[in-house]
Amino acid sequence: MGSVTNYNPRCVILLLFTVLAATATKHRNNFLPRPRLGYYGSSCWNVESIVRSVVQSNYFANPANAPGVLRMHFHDCFVQGCDASILLAGPNSERTAIPNLSLRGFNVIEEAKTQLEIACPRTVSCADILSLAARDFVVLAGGPWWPVPLGRLDGKVSLASNVNLPGPTDSVALQRQMFSAKNLNTQDLVVLVAGHTIGTAGCGVFRNRFFNYKNTGSPDPTISPSFVPQIQSQCPLNGDPATRVVLDTGSGDQFDTSYLNNLRNGRGVLESDQVLWTDPQTRPIVEQLLGLRFPFLWFGQEFGRSMTKMSQIEIKTGLDGEIRRVCSAVNS
């Protein structure tokens, strides 16, 4: 008969502990709390009404706050996740990166935070306020309402060097790559970029496309010939590069499907927008959005769904996050 192998019980326990620890580490993300509806409950039952009231007063004071806060939410989520790090101030914070210099609406989030700190001290994160405010501004601009899961924490780090956002001349291939890295698919890409139905861009961002596209001496051939002189008159070669032009010509303040129609008609202002129509990977999605009997209702539903997905990118939990007292607290 074979002999029985001797073993040390302490070694077995240590081995078991090591295996369990490794398994827990591997799967810990499956057990971390995720944003959910009704998160604050009685701890801050009126969080949504407080944010909505602040948003309404700021929208009626300046409707440009709507695309400003929507864009801010996008820029926040695409850099280190939806953690309100875009709000942190400081000499090298995300706010100082070139793509973020034209952001507006910081005061809106801070105003809502101030009121919530009175009603529910150290309870509601700036990241949740930004998610709610983006939704409420879209609604006021004529867009859809969608339920916003809450329970994010605020990030502790904000660095300009981390800012890497989709750009105004990006191809569909590059945009798809950047969206895929955030677990967003091609439909999410088209639907979220269509948020450009409200908002503006500075002439310096796209002017060459209407005068000297890729050093050809001519405008981008995908632009409708009737649209070229319209933009050239708004953005002359020697004009102020900071002059703002609406991204959805004819409907720049209204959240609707006019933006998609403009793409179909070669009237997209940004190259990264117009390629959504010319690229075979995205054109069928635009066509589908426009081809339904009630395109706005379908677009609105899909926009809310994609915004919900985006708002849960790389959220902070546990020791990775905090609840700030002041949203723009100086970045340490």
Side-chain angles (χ1 to χ4, degrees), residues 105-172:
F106 293 100
N107 61 303
V108 179
I109 310 303
E110 205 64 73
E111 181 181 341
K113 179 62 172 176
T114 298
Q115 293 194 21
L116 284 165
E117 282 300 300
I118 295 172
C120 324
R122 295 305 295 270
T123 302
V124 181
S125 68
C126 302
D128 277 348
I129 296 171
L130 181 52
S131 294
L132 287 170
R135 189 270 312 273
D136 292 343
F137 271 120
V138 166
V139 171
L140 288 170
W145 182 93
W146 64 91
V148 176
L150 301 174
R152 300 163 191 79
L153 292 179
D154 297 323
K156 301 176 181 180
V157 177
S158 180
L159 296 172
S161 58
N162 287 334
V163 176
N164 180 28
L165 295 163
T169 62
D170 286 351
S171 66
V172 165

Side-chain angles (χ1 to χ4, degrees), residues 183-218:
N183 293 319
L184 298 171
N185 60 33
T186 304
Q187 173 133 335
D188 297 319
L189 159 63
V190 173
V191 169
L192 290 172
V193 172
H196 286 166
T197 182
I198 54 175
T200 62
C203 288
V205 172
F206 60 83
R207 181 164 47 197
N208 279 350
R209 181 171 176 250
F210 287 82
F211 285 94
N212 185 25
Y213 179 63
K214 295 186 176 179
N215 297 317
T216 60
S218 302

Side-chain angles (χ1 to χ4, degrees), residues 215-270:
N215 297 317
T216 60
S218 302
D220 181 347
T222 65
I223 304 172
S224 169
S226 64
F227 191 48
V228 172
Q230 180 178 337
I231 298 299
Q232 287 180 340
S233 66
Q234 295 180 61
C235 296
L237 273 176
N238 297 320
D240 184 355
T243 298
R244 310 295 293 183
V245 172
V246 295
L247 293 171
D248 183 7
T249 303
S251 183
D253 295 327
Q254 188 70 22
F255 196 99
D256 53 25
T257 56
S258 170
Y259 164 88
L260 298 170
N261 273 308
N262 279 330
L263 297 187
R264 178 169 58 186
N265 296 325
R267 298 169 69 86
V269 173
L270 303 180

Side-chain angles (χ1 to χ4, degrees), residues 81-97:
C82 304
D83 63 354
S85 56
I86 187 68
L87 297 169
L88 286 169
N92 298 303
S93 67
E94 291 173 28
R95 292 170 66 162
T96 67

